[in-house]
Amino acid sequence: MVSRLISVDRWAAGSQAYFLTHLHSDHTNGLSSSWANGPLFCSRLTAKLLPFKFPEFNLSLIRILQIGTWHSLSLLSPSGSNTHLQVMAIDALHCPGSVMLVFRGDFGCLLYTGDFRWEATCEKAMRSRDMLLGALKDQMVDIIHLDNTYCNPSYDFPPRQVAANQIVNIILSHPEHEIIIGIDTLGKEDLLHHIARVLKIKIWVWPERLRTMHLLGLHDIFTTKTSLTRVRAVPRYSFSIETLEALNKVHPTIGIMASGLPWLKTGLLTRGTRSGSFRISRSKRAPVIANCEVQGDRQVGNTGPLERFNEYIYSVLYSDHSNFAELTEFVKLVRPNSLKGIVSSSSCYIEPMYYLGRHCGIKQPAKQLHTKHTSKGSIERVVAVNTKASSLSDEFVESETKRQKTLKVKSSGFRSTKFSALRRMGHGAKISENDGPDQ
């Protein structure tokens, strides 16, 4: 981030201090048990989980960042003089231990969100909001390094509580079925806890995941004994149509994929071989599962229709990343001088300044919107279109939202399949072998 001084979620040699926002594999690429390039700063919970991911890591390198507290560092500038900076960690509400980082020093004030979820109705998010405003006070943020995973008006998925209630309703509507839920190696613990509490059941997880649950203090909810529950949380990479079809030959089973992207498994021809890929899909609308919403142990209201791919799989828009409206509110709150996306190498990358630049504190120059054009033979090329980011109107964003939703119906197949394939192959900043397209 700051040349030869600090690095965030980047692990190459050359910096004096390293910061880890959270333990998802796309943010630890380059980190290993033998890594020893400098002190590593992270939250207390991440420090607790890190030795489980990297068993022989040198623990003397770890520095704990207390949430909501300024920490001072003295580093050596490229000119040879001492440089002092301060950093504060704030709960990012993404996965256990995840933080956003505020840096201030001679270089100005920088905010690195890491992956984060900024829900207006969430009490934890409100506390993070107050903490962030208290840290910034009247200081201008020079640049936000923003989680732009869903920085597009077409991404309007609901709060996690609403999506969690939808999942409970699906389970209630299938009392004779085994339930398979695809999750990652870290994250969505709150979702599973909600299901277990409301339905008064235990949830099966694989042995390594159970150990993580115990490290997180969740001892009485999860089990590795299949005989104790009909609800199983399985690794996302093992969640497939083929697996569910095989399970249904033994016992009626449904799968639930919780993600900010509607889920569909499809064959994709890649270098002469066919592989599976996540892609955006306007799947068949299932009937309303239950004309109710679960609140605590009661059910009220209407959750609306759910996405259903086939008779075996439901796709529920539960995401640990901010949707577009939440990103907008976050940028309007902070009003930085500039924005930079932390996801910078996917085939559908859009410069965050294009949509959000008008909410920054100073007028921005023309920015480029990366769009895709497909020529004959399905060869894709990316071109740049100049636009005045700071002058985009609300009417434009509204029309763009409608256009994007229309495109998802008419032409999502090639566009999103290519996007997902690149992310699954490691070309995007958000995906690794163990972490799916959404956390």
Side-chain angles (χ1 to χ4, degrees):
M1 270 181 62
V2 181
S3 179
R4 296 179 60 184
L5 290 179
I6 59 177
S7 292
V8 180
D9 295 342
R10 298 291 182 270
W11 308 105
S15 294
Q16 298 176 48
Y18 295 82
F19 294 83
L20 175 60
T21 60
H22 65 290
L23 272 173
H24 279 155
S25 295
D26 50 336
H27 292 256
T28 60
N29 186 25
L31 192 61
S32 68
S33 293
S34 61
W35 183 90
N37 290 338
L40 186 156
F41 294 82
C42 62
S43 69
R44 182 172 299 278
L45 187 50
T46 293
K48 184 178 181 179
L49 296 171
L50 193 145
F52 179 50
K53 189 177 182 71
F54 304 109
E56 298 179 7
F57 192 85
N58 183 355
L59 301 183
S60 68
L61 296 173
I62 296 178
R63 307 288 187 271
I64 303 297
L65 294 173
Q66 300 290 348
I67 302 295
T69 300
W70 284 110
H71 299 262
S72 298
L73 286 78
S74 181
L75 306 174
L76 194 64
S77 71
S79 63
S81 61
N82 287 330
T83 296
H84 300 280
L85 65 87
Q86 291 183 307
V87 58
M88 180 185 289
I90 298 172
D91 192 348
L93 308 168
H94 173 68
C95 71
S98 62
V99 292
M100 62 179 74
L101 300 166
V102 181
F103 296 94
R104 64 186 185 190
D106 295 338
F107 48 81
C109 182
L110 309 178
L111 172 56
Y112 194 98
T113 68
D115 293 346
F116 80 124
R117 185 77 199 259
W118 197 256
E119 295 168 298
T121 57
C122 173
E123 290 186 11
K124 291 182 179 179
M126 293 175 65
R127 289 197 293 269
S128 290
R129 178 185 184 276
D130 292 341
M131 190 176 296
L132 177 62
L133 291 177
L136 297 178
K137 294 183 179 178
D138 297 326
Q139 186 169 12
M140 171 66 74
V141 174
D142 293 285
I143 185 169
I144 296 179
H145 294 262
L146 184 71
D147 174 10
N148 56 311
T149 303
Y150 295 121
C151 187
N152 188 299
S154 63
Y155 295 124
D156 57 356
F157 42 80
R160 283 175 287 194
Q161 183 67 38
V162 172
N165 292 336
Q166 291 179 336
I167 292 173
V168 168
N169 288 333
I170 294 173
I171 297 172
L172 287 173
S173 69
H174 294 81
E176 304 301 324
H177 284 67
E178 299 286 329
I179 310 295
I180 304 296
I181 303 173
I183 63 170
D184 300 306
T185 56
L186 182 68
K188 295 190 170 63
E189 289 79 10
D190 287 345
L191 169 62
L192 299 179
H193 184 273
H194 177 78
I195 294 170
R197 178 180 58 82
V198 173
L199 299 181
K200 296 180 173 62
I201 61 171
K202 289 181 178 291
I203 295 178
W204 181 94
V205 293
W206 63 102
E208 293 80 8
R209 196 62 158 97
L210 182 65
R211 183 179 174 185
T212 299
M213 296 302 192
H214 287 173
L215 287 172
L216 295 172
L218 302 171
H219 297 284
D220 301 324
I221 300 171
F222 303 97
T223 180
T224 55
K225 298 180 180 179
T226 56
S227 61
L228 296 181
T229 180
R230 68 185 182 98
V231 179
R232 284 177 280 168
V234 304
R236 185 186 290 254
Y237 60 78
S238 69
F239 187 98
S240 68
I241 295 172
E242 293 78 14
T243 299
L244 286 163
E245 288 176 343
L247 289 171
N248 272 276
K249 294 178 181 178
V250 179
H251 190 279
T253 304
I254 63 166
I256 300 173
M257 180 54 71
S259 171
L261 297 173
W263 187 87
L264 176 60
K265 194 75 157 41
T266 183
L268 177 67
L269 192 63
T270 307
R271 295 184 181 179
T273 61
R274 190 167 295 276
S275 62
S277 172
F278 285 102
R279 73 178 175 88
I280 298 173
S281 168
R282 298 308 298 174
S283 54
K284 293 184 292 184
R285 287 281 185 181
V288 175
I289 295 302
N291 190 31
C292 60
E293 178 176 319
V294 179
Q295 294 182 354
D297 295 329
R298 299 186 304 109
Q299 297 181 350
V300 297
N302 190 330
T303 60
L306 300 166
E307 296 284 358
R308 188 173 183 179
F309 169 59
N310 64 10
E311 59 183 310
Y312 301 135
I313 297 178
Y314 287 88
S315 178
V316 180
L317 296 178
Y318 182 106
S319 179
D320 288 329
H321 294 272
S322 298
N323 62 28
F324 180 76
E326 292 162 354
L327 291 175
T328 301
E329 290 305 311
F330 182 79
V331 174
K332 289 169 65 175
L333 176 70
V334 178
R335 291 185 61 80
N337 285 337
S338 187
L339 299 168
K340 183 177 181 180
I342 64 174
V343 183
S344 59
S345 55
S346 75
S347 64
C348 65
Y349 171 78
I350 293 179
E351 166 62 53
M353 290 296 295
Y354 176 71
Y355 284 125
L356 302 177
R358 70 187 188 280
H359 301 304
C360 290
I362 61 176
K363 187 176 181 181
Q364 299 296 328
K367 292 293 178 181
Q368 292 181 331
L369 166 66
H370 296 283
T371 59
K372 300 192 301 181
H373 295 262
T374 304
S375 60
K376 293 181 180 180
S378 297
I379 298 175
E380 186 179 71
R381 60 189 178 90
V382 178
V383 299
V385 180
N386 286 326
T387 180
K388 291 285 187 179
S390 59
S391 63
L392 288 175
S393 66
D394 292 333
E395 289 78 7
F396 173 82
V397 172
E398 182 179 356
S399 64
E400 179 67 6
T401 302
K402 294 178 181 178
R403 186 185 71 83
Q404 291 288 347
K405 289 182 177 180
T406 302
L407 285 176
K408 283 204 296 182
V409 176
K410 293 183 178 180
S411 61
S412 64
F414 177 80
R415 173 177 62 87
S416 54
T417 298
K418 178 68 174 177
F419 163 58
S420 302
L422 288 174
R423 292 174 77 180
R424 296 284 288 181
M425 292 166 60
H427 292 278
K430 307 304 292 179
I431 294 302
S432 71
E433 180 180 356
N434 293 324
D435 298 323
D438 169 67
Q439 308 297 335

